[in-house]
PDB file of all heavy atoms in Angstrom:
ATOM      1  N   PHE X   6     123.884 106.121   3.651  1.00 87.00           N
ATOM      2  CA  PHE X   6     124.497 105.127   2.811  1.00 87.00           C
ATOM      3  C   PHE X   6     125.158 104.098   3.616  1.00 87.00           C
ATOM      4  O   PHE X   6     125.883 104.335   4.596  1.00 87.00           O
ATOM      5  CB  PHE X   6     125.542 105.876   1.921  1.00 87.00           C
ATOM      6  CG  PHE X   6     124.982 106.739   0.899  1.00 87.00           C
ATOM      7  CD1 PHE X   6     124.747 108.157   1.142  1.00 87.00           C
ATOM      8  CD2 PHE X   6     124.480 106.234  -0.363  1.00 87.00           C
ATOM      9  CE1 PHE X   6     124.191 108.998   0.209  1.00 87.00           C
ATOM     10  CE2 PHE X   6     124.001 107.099  -1.313  1.00 87.00           C
ATOM     11  CZ  PHE X   6     123.776 108.429  -1.061  1.00 87.00           C
ATOM     12  N   PHE X   7     124.976 102.845   3.257  1.00 86.00           N
ATOM     13  CA  PHE X   7     125.520 101.688   3.972  1.00 86.00           C
ATOM     14  C   PHE X   7     126.543 100.994   3.059  1.00 86.00           C
ATOM     15  O   PHE X   7     126.258 100.529   1.981  1.00 86.00           O
ATOM     16  CB  PHE X   7     124.406 100.661   4.259  1.00 86.00           C
ATOM     17  CG  PHE X   7     123.283 101.218   5.117  1.00 86.00           C
ATOM     18  CD1 PHE X   7     122.214 101.899   4.465  1.00 86.00           C
ATOM     19  CD2 PHE X   7     123.307 101.204   6.519  1.00 86.00           C
ATOM     20  CE1 PHE X   7     121.183 102.398   5.220  1.00 86.00           C
ATOM     21  CE2 PHE X   7     122.338 101.753   7.202  1.00 86.00           C
ATOM     22  CZ  PHE X   7     121.237 102.353   6.591  1.00 86.00           C
ATOM     23  N   PRO X   8     127.836 100.979   3.556  1.00 89.00           N
ATOM     24  CA  PRO X   8     128.921 100.427   2.811  1.00 89.00           C
ATOM     25  C   PRO X   8     128.980  98.874   2.814  1.00 89.00           C
ATOM     26  O   PRO X   8     129.606  98.259   3.578  1.00 89.00           O
ATOM     27  CB  PRO X   8     130.191 101.034   3.471  1.00 89.00           C
ATOM     28  CG  PRO X   8     129.731 101.110   4.919  1.00 89.00           C
ATOM     29  CD  PRO X   8     128.294 101.455   4.882  1.00 89.00           C
ATOM     30  N   THR X   9     128.254  98.267   1.824  1.00 91.00           N
ATOM     31  CA  THR X   9     128.151  96.849   1.802  1.00 91.00           C
ATOM     32  C   THR X   9     129.510  96.155   1.726  1.00 91.00           C
ATOM     33  O   THR X   9     129.746  95.201   2.358  1.00 91.00           O
ATOM     34  CB  THR X   9     127.275  96.432   0.578  1.00 91.00           C
ATOM     35  OG1 THR X   9     126.106  97.211   0.485  1.00 91.00           O
ATOM     36  CG2 THR X   9     126.933  94.970   0.685  1.00 91.00           C
ATOM     37  N   LEU X  10     130.327  96.708   0.831  1.00 91.00           N
ATOM     38  CA  LEU X  10     131.693  96.088   0.595  1.00 91.00           C
ATOM     39  C   LEU X  10     132.415  96.122   1.929  1.00 91.00           C
ATOM     40  O   LEU X  10     133.101  95.104   2.179  1.00 91.00           O
ATOM     41  CB  LEU X  10     132.455  96.861  -0.444  1.00 91.00           C
ATOM     42  CG  LEU X  10     133.747  96.330  -0.843  1.00 91.00           C
ATOM     43  CD1 LEU X  10     133.626  94.928  -1.472  1.00 91.00           C
ATOM     44  CD2 LEU X  10     134.512  97.230  -1.829  1.00 91.00           C
ATOM     45  N   SER X  11     132.389  97.147   2.641  1.00 93.00           N
ATOM     46  CA  SER X  11     133.049  97.227   3.931  1.00 93.00           C
ATOM     47  C   SER X  11     132.519  96.259   4.988  1.00 93.00           C
ATOM     48  O   SER X  11     133.266  95.592   5.737  1.00 93.00           O
ATOM     49  CB  SER X  11     133.013  98.682   4.539  1.00 93.00           C
ATOM     50  OG  SER X  11     133.612  99.548   3.685  1.00 93.00           O
ATOM     51  N   LEU X  12     131.173  96.147   5.023  1.00 93.00           N
ATOM     52  CA  LEU X  12     130.550  95.224   5.952  1.00 93.00           C
ATOM     53  C   LEU X  12     130.958  93.736   5.599  1.00 93.00           C
ATOM     54  O   LEU X  12     131.350  93.011   6.542  1.00 93.00           O
ATOM     55  CB  LEU X  12     129.038  95.336   5.853  1.00 93.00           C
ATOM     56  CG  LEU X  12     128.345  96.481   6.603  1.00 93.00           C
ATOM     57  CD1 LEU X  12     126.868  96.535   6.197  1.00 93.00           C
ATOM     58  CD2 LEU X  12     128.502  96.297   8.132  1.00 93.00           C
ATOM     59  N   HIS X  13     130.989  93.407   4.338  1.00 95.00           N
ATOM     60  CA  HIS X  13     131.304  92.091   3.936  1.00 95.00           C
ATOM     61  C   HIS X  13     132.761  91.728   4.176  1.00 95.00           C
ATOM     62  O   HIS X  13     133.138  90.562   4.149  1.00 95.00           O
ATOM     63  CB  HIS X  13     130.954  91.908   2.483  1.00 95.00           C
ATOM     64  CG  HIS X  13     129.429  91.851   2.198  1.00 95.00           C
ATOM     65  ND1 HIS X  13     128.931  91.412   1.046  1.00 95.00           N
ATOM     66  CD2 HIS X  13     128.409  92.128   3.002  1.00 95.00           C
ATOM     67  CE1 HIS X  13     127.607  91.441   1.114  1.00 95.00           C
ATOM     68  NE2 HIS X  13     127.275  91.905   2.299  1.00 95.00           N
ATOM     69  N   HIS X  14     133.590  92.789   4.372  1.00 95.00           N
ATOM     70  CA  HIS X  14     135.045  92.496   4.523  1.00 95.00           C
ATOM     71  C   HIS X  14     135.505  92.843   5.909  1.00 95.00           C
ATOM     72  O   HIS X  14     136.684  93.073   6.192  1.00 95.00           O
ATOM     73  CB  HIS X  14     135.849  93.282   3.451  1.00 95.00           C
ATOM     74  CG  HIS X  14     135.858  92.671   2.102  1.00 95.00           C
ATOM     75  ND1 HIS X  14     136.880  91.904   1.594  1.00 95.00           N
ATOM     76  CD2 HIS X  14     134.814  92.600   1.175  1.00 95.00           C
ATOM     77  CE1 HIS X  14     136.505  91.457   0.399  1.00 95.00           C
ATOM     78  NE2 HIS X  14     135.298  91.863   0.126  1.00 95.00           N
ATOM     79  N   ASP X  15     134.499  93.055   6.815  1.00 96.00           N
ATOM     80  CA  ASP X  15     134.899  93.367   8.190  1.00 96.00           C
ATOM     81  C   ASP X  15     135.149  92.083   8.944  1.00 96.00           C
ATOM     82  O   ASP X  15     134.274  91.221   9.088  1.00 96.00           O
ATOM     83  CB  ASP X  15     133.686  94.091   8.838  1.00 96.00           C
ATOM     84  CG  ASP X  15     134.051  94.730  10.234  1.00 96.00           C
ATOM     85  OD1 ASP X  15     134.964  94.182  10.858  1.00 96.00           O
ATOM     86  OD2 ASP X  15     133.455  95.721  10.589  1.00 96.00           O
ATOM     87  N   PRO X  16     136.401  91.914   9.484  1.00 96.00           N
ATOM     88  CA  PRO X  16     136.754  90.686  10.190  1.00 96.00           C
ATOM     89  C   PRO X  16     135.866  90.411  11.407  1.00 96.00           C
ATOM     90  O   PRO X  16     135.801  89.267  11.935  1.00 96.00           O
ATOM     91  CB  PRO X  16     138.219  90.797  10.522  1.00 96.00           C
ATOM     92  CG  PRO X  16     138.475  92.262  10.393  1.00 96.00           C
ATOM     93  CD  PRO X  16     137.519  92.786   9.423  1.00 96.00           C
ATOM     94  N   LYS X  17     135.253  91.492  11.935  1.00 95.00           N
ATOM     95  CA  LYS X  17     134.346  91.314  13.059  1.00 95.00           C
ATOM     96  C   LYS X  17     133.189  90.409  12.748  1.00 95.00           C
ATOM     97  O   LYS X  17     132.679  89.643  13.527  1.00 95.00           O
ATOM     98  CB  LYS X  17     133.855  92.762  13.500  1.00 95.00           C
ATOM     99  CG  LYS X  17     132.805  92.676  14.598  1.00 95.00           C
ATOM    100  CD  LYS X  17     132.326  94.091  14.845  1.00 95.00           C
ATOM    101  CE  LYS X  17     131.332  94.093  15.998  1.00 95.00           C
ATOM    102  NZ  LYS X  17     130.733  95.499  16.176  1.00 95.00           N
ATOM    103  N   TYR X  18     132.801  90.522  11.491  1.00 95.00           N
ATOM    104  CA  TYR X  18     131.611  89.716  11.011  1.00 95.00           C
ATOM    105  C   TYR X  18     132.032  88.438  10.177  1.00 95.00           C
ATOM    106  O   TYR X  18     131.372  87.381  10.207  1.00 95.00           O
ATOM    107  CB  TYR X  18     130.646  90.570  10.187  1.00 95.00           C
ATOM    108  CG  TYR X  18     130.203  91.784  10.921  1.00 95.00           C
ATOM    109  CD1 TYR X  18     130.509  93.034  10.446  1.00 95.00           C
ATOM    110  CD2 TYR X  18     129.372  91.673  12.090  1.00 95.00           C
ATOM    111  CE1 TYR X  18     130.067  94.179  11.131  1.00 95.00           C
ATOM    112  CE2 TYR X  18     129.017  92.801  12.752  1.00 95.00           C
ATOM    113  CZ  TYR X  18     129.336  94.044  12.303  1.00 95.00           C
ATOM    114  OH  TYR X  18     128.892  95.214  12.990  1.00 95.00           O
ATOM    115  N   PHE X  19     133.099  88.602   9.457  1.00 96.00           N
ATOM    116  CA  PHE X  19     133.537  87.524   8.553  1.00 96.00           C
ATOM    117  C   PHE X  19     135.106  87.344   8.759  1.00 96.00           C
ATOM    118  O   PHE X  19     135.885  88.018   8.086  1.00 96.00           O
ATOM    119  CB  PHE X  19     133.175  87.854   7.123  1.00 96.00           C
ATOM    120  CG  PHE X  19     131.799  87.953   6.804  1.00 96.00           C
ATOM    121  CD1 PHE X  19     131.211  89.241   6.742  1.00 96.00           C
ATOM    122  CD2 PHE X  19     130.941  86.842   6.666  1.00 96.00           C
ATOM    123  CE1 PHE X  19     129.822  89.389   6.551  1.00 96.00           C
ATOM    124  CE2 PHE X  19     129.572  87.009   6.480  1.00 96.00           C
ATOM    125  CZ  PHE X  19     129.052  88.256   6.329  1.00 96.00           C
ATOM    126  N   PRO X  20     135.507  86.427   9.645  1.00 95.00           N
ATOM    127  CA  PRO X  20     136.939  86.234   9.861  1.00 95.00           C
ATOM    128  C   PRO X  20     137.625  85.844   8.564  1.00 95.00           C
ATOM    129  O   PRO X  20     137.099  85.194   7.678  1.00 95.00           O
ATOM    130  CB  PRO X  20     136.980  85.000  10.789  1.00 95.00           C
ATOM    131  CG  PRO X  20     135.650  85.113  11.470  1.00 95.00           C
ATOM    132  CD  PRO X  20     134.645  85.565  10.500  1.00 95.00           C
ATOM    133  N   GLU X  21     138.897  86.321   8.389  1.00 96.00           N
ATOM    134  CA  GLU X  21     139.661  86.243   7.186  1.00 96.00           C
ATOM    135  C   GLU X  21     138.910  86.510   5.960  1.00 96.00           C
ATOM    136  O   GLU X  21     138.560  85.750   5.071  1.00 96.00           O
ATOM    137  CB  GLU X  21     140.167  84.755   7.068  1.00 96.00           C
ATOM    138  CG  GLU X  21     141.130  84.308   8.180  1.00 96.00           C
ATOM    139  CD  GLU X  21     141.636  82.851   7.901  1.00 96.00           C
ATOM    140  OE1 GLU X  21     142.649  82.733   7.271  1.00 96.00           O
ATOM    141  OE2 GLU X  21     140.970  81.948   8.375  1.00 96.00           O
ATOM    142  N   PRO X  22     138.351  87.829   5.901  1.00 96.00           N
ATOM    143  CA  PRO X  22     137.427  88.250   4.865  1.00 96.00           C
ATOM    144  C   PRO X  22     138.014  88.085   3.476  1.00 96.00           C
ATOM    145  O   PRO X  22     137.150  87.966   2.477  1.00 96.00           O
ATOM    146  CB  PRO X  22     137.208  89.740   5.166  1.00 96.00           C
ATOM    147  CG  PRO X  22     138.297  90.152   5.986  1.00 96.00           C
ATOM    148  CD  PRO X  22     138.813  88.914   6.783  1.00 96.00           C
ATOM    149  N   GLU X  23     139.342  88.090   3.184  1.00 95.00           N
ATOM    150  CA  GLU X  23     139.868  87.984   1.852  1.00 95.00           C
ATOM    151  C   GLU X  23     139.952  86.571   1.381  1.00 95.00           C
ATOM    152  O   GLU X  23     140.124  86.247   0.260  1.00 95.00           O
ATOM    153  CB  GLU X  23     141.205  88.583   1.870  1.00 95.00           C
ATOM    154  CG  GLU X  23     141.272  90.104   2.083  1.00 95.00           C
ATOM    155  CD  GLU X  23     140.450  90.846   1.179  1.00 95.00           C
ATOM    156  OE1 GLU X  23     140.365  90.559  -0.075  1.00 95.00           O
ATOM    157  OE2 GLU X  23     139.806  91.812   1.643  1.00 95.00           O
ATOM    158  N   LYS X  24     139.613  85.620   2.270  1.00 95.00           N
ATOM    159  CA  LYS X  24     139.666  84.159   1.955  1.00 95.00           C
ATOM    160  C   LYS X  24     138.312  83.773   1.367  1.00 95.00           C
ATOM    161  O   LYS X  24     137.219  84.164   1.903  1.00 95.00           O
ATOM    162  CB  LYS X  24     139.901  83.349   3.202  1.00 95.00           C
ATOM    163  CG  LYS X  24     139.940  81.862   2.947  1.00 95.00           C
ATOM    164  CD  LYS X  24     140.216  81.131   4.261  1.00 95.00           C
ATOM    165  CE  LYS X  24     140.222  79.600   4.061  1.00 95.00           C
ATOM    166  NZ  LYS X  24     140.495  78.856   5.283  1.00 95.00           N
ATOM    167  N   PHE X  25     138.352  83.066   0.252  1.00 97.00           N
ATOM    168  CA  PHE X  25     137.141  82.550  -0.429  1.00 97.00           C
ATOM    169  C   PHE X  25     136.740  81.192   0.287  1.00 97.00           C
ATOM    170  O   PHE X  25     137.396  80.193  -0.011  1.00 97.00           O
ATOM    171  CB  PHE X  25     137.325  82.337  -1.879  1.00 97.00           C
ATOM    172  CG  PHE X  25     136.114  81.989  -2.616  1.00 97.00           C
ATOM    173  CD1 PHE X  25     135.155  82.922  -2.984  1.00 97.00           C
ATOM    174  CD2 PHE X  25     135.861  80.641  -3.038  1.00 97.00           C
ATOM    175  CE1 PHE X  25     133.991  82.590  -3.653  1.00 97.00           C
ATOM    176  CE2 PHE X  25     134.728  80.279  -3.751  1.00 97.00           C
ATOM    177  CZ  PHE X  25     133.800  81.311  -4.018  1.00 97.00           C
ATOM    178  N   ASP X  26     135.733  81.292   1.112  1.00 97.00           N
ATOM    179  CA  ASP X  26     135.391  80.089   1.917  1.00 97.00           C
ATOM    180  C   ASP X  26     133.822  79.883   1.896  1.00 97.00           C
ATOM    181  O   ASP X  26     133.133  80.417   2.725  1.00 97.00           O
ATOM    182  CB  ASP X  26     135.907  80.306   3.394  1.00 97.00           C
ATOM    183  CG  ASP X  26     135.564  79.075   4.256  1.00 97.00           C
ATOM    184  OD1 ASP X  26     135.198  77.989   3.693  1.00 97.00           O
ATOM    185  OD2 ASP X  26     135.672  79.241   5.510  1.00 97.00           O
ATOM    186  N   PRO X  27     133.379  78.977   0.946  1.00 97.00           N
ATOM    187  CA  PRO X  27     131.955  78.802   0.887  1.00 97.00           C
ATOM    188  C   PRO X  27     131.335  78.177   2.203  1.00 97.00           C
ATOM    189  O   PRO X  27     130.134  78.311   2.348  1.00 97.00           O
ATOM    190  CB  PRO X  27     131.822  77.854  -0.311  1.00 97.00           C
ATOM    191  CG  PRO X  27     133.045  78.114  -1.127  1.00 97.00           C
ATOM    192  CD  PRO X  27     134.108  78.425  -0.167  1.00 97.00           C
ATOM    193  N   ASP X  28     132.172  77.525   2.975  1.00 96.00           N
ATOM    194  CA  ASP X  28     131.625  76.883   4.196  1.00 96.00           C
ATOM    195  C   ASP X  28     131.158  77.896   5.209  1.00 96.00           C
ATOM    196  O   ASP X  28     130.560  77.517   6.218  1.00 96.00           O
ATOM    197  CB  ASP X  28     132.679  75.966   4.736  1.00 96.00           C
ATOM    198  CG  ASP X  28     132.787  74.666   3.974  1.00 96.00           C
ATOM    199  OD1 ASP X  28     131.703  74.231   3.354  1.00 96.00           O
ATOM    200  OD2 ASP X  28     133.847  74.095   3.902  1.00 96.00           O
ATOM    201  N   ARG X  29     131.488  79.168   4.972  1.00 96.00           N
ATOM    202  CA  ARG X  29     130.894  80.229   5.908  1.00 96.00           C
ATOM    203  C   ARG X  29     129.343  80.134   5.906  1.00 96.00           C
ATOM    204  O   ARG X  29     128.696  80.475   6.886  1.00 96.00           O
ATOM    205  CB  ARG X  29     131.272  81.676   5.434  1.00 96.00           C
ATOM    206  CG  ARG X  29     132.663  81.999   5.414  1.00 96.00           C
ATOM    207  CD  ARG X  29     132.804  83.430   4.856  1.00 96.00           C
ATOM    208  NE  ARG X  29     134.108  83.730   4.397  1.00 96.00           N
ATOM    209  CZ  ARG X  29     135.126  84.222   5.181  1.00 96.00           C
ATOM    210  NH1 ARG X  29     134.875  84.447   6.404  1.00 96.00           N
ATOM    211  NH2 ARG X  29     136.319  84.452   4.686  1.00 96.00           N
ATOM    212  N   PHE X  30     128.767  79.709   4.744  1.00 96.00           N
ATOM    213  CA  PHE X  30     127.399  79.603   4.553  1.00 96.00           C
ATOM    214  C   PHE X  30     126.758  78.223   4.630  1.00 96.00           C
ATOM    215  O   PHE X  30     125.649  77.959   4.167  1.00 96.00           O
ATOM    216  CB  PHE X  30     127.005  80.304   3.211  1.00 96.00           C
ATOM    217  CG  PHE X  30     127.308  81.737   3.204  1.00 96.00           C
ATOM    218  CD1 PHE X  30     128.576  82.269   2.757  1.00 96.00           C
ATOM    219  CD2 PHE X  30     126.367  82.717   3.592  1.00 96.00           C
ATOM    220  CE1 PHE X  30     128.826  83.602   2.692  1.00 96.00           C
ATOM    221  CE2 PHE X  30     126.699  84.072   3.665  1.00 96.00           C
ATOM    222  CZ  PHE X  30     127.922  84.509   3.158  1.00 96.00           C
ATOM    223  N   ALA X  31     127.545  77.291   5.221  1.00 96.00           N
ATOM    224  CA  ALA X  31     127.031  75.947   5.420  1.00 96.00           C
ATOM    225  C   ALA X  31     125.970  76.079   6.504  1.00 96.00           C
ATOM    226  O   ALA X  31     125.983  76.953   7.275  1.00 96.00           O
ATOM    227  CB  ALA X  31     128.211  75.088   5.886  1.00 96.00           C
ATOM    228  N   PRO X  32     125.003  75.169   6.398  1.00 95.00           N
ATOM    229  CA  PRO X  32     123.830  75.229   7.310  1.00 95.00           C
ATOM    230  C   PRO X  32     124.269  75.346   8.793  1.00 95.00           C
ATOM    231  O   PRO X  32     123.624  76.105   9.549  1.00 95.00           O
ATOM    232  CB  PRO X  32     123.094  73.905   7.002  1.00 95.00           C
ATOM    233  CG  PRO X  32     123.465  73.649   5.691  1.00 95.00           C
ATOM    234  CD  PRO X  32     124.856  74.036   5.465  1.00 95.00           C
ATOM    235  N   GLU X  33     125.315  74.651   9.211  1.00 96.00           N
ATOM    236  CA  GLU X  33     125.681  74.657  10.579  1.00 96.00           C
ATOM    237  C   GLU X  33     126.347  75.992  10.943  1.00 96.00           C
ATOM    238  O   GLU X  33     126.542  76.292  12.184  1.00 96.00           O
ATOM    239  CB  GLU X  33     126.617  73.508  10.942  1.00 96.00           C
ATOM    240  CG  GLU X  33     127.956  73.564  10.173  1.00 96.00           C
ATOM    241  CD  GLU X  33     127.928  72.917   8.829  1.00 96.00           C
ATOM    242  OE1 GLU X  33     126.790  72.640   8.309  1.00 96.00           O
ATOM    243  OE2 GLU X  33     128.960  72.556   8.284  1.00 96.00           O
ATOM    244  N   ASN X  34     126.728  76.874  10.027  1.00 95.00           N
ATOM    245  CA  ASN X  34     127.384  78.118  10.310  1.00 95.00           C
ATOM    246  C   ASN X  34     126.510  79.340  10.096  1.00 95.00           C
ATOM    247  O   ASN X  34     126.926  80.472  10.366  1.00 95.00           O
ATOM    248  CB  ASN X  34     128.621  78.306   9.461  1.00 95.00           C
ATOM    249  CG  ASN X  34     129.693  77.249   9.750  1.00 95.00           C
ATOM    250  OD1 ASN X  34     129.851  76.851  10.943  1.00 95.00           O
ATOM    251  ND2 ASN X  34     130.492  76.803   8.754  1.00 95.00           N
TER     252      ASN X  34
END
């Protein structure tokens, strides 16, 4: 079992995970 929610909220992969920031997925990022 892979904990998707934990991965998506891991600051190692997504800094400030509780922040709603669409620019994480901008082409340059």
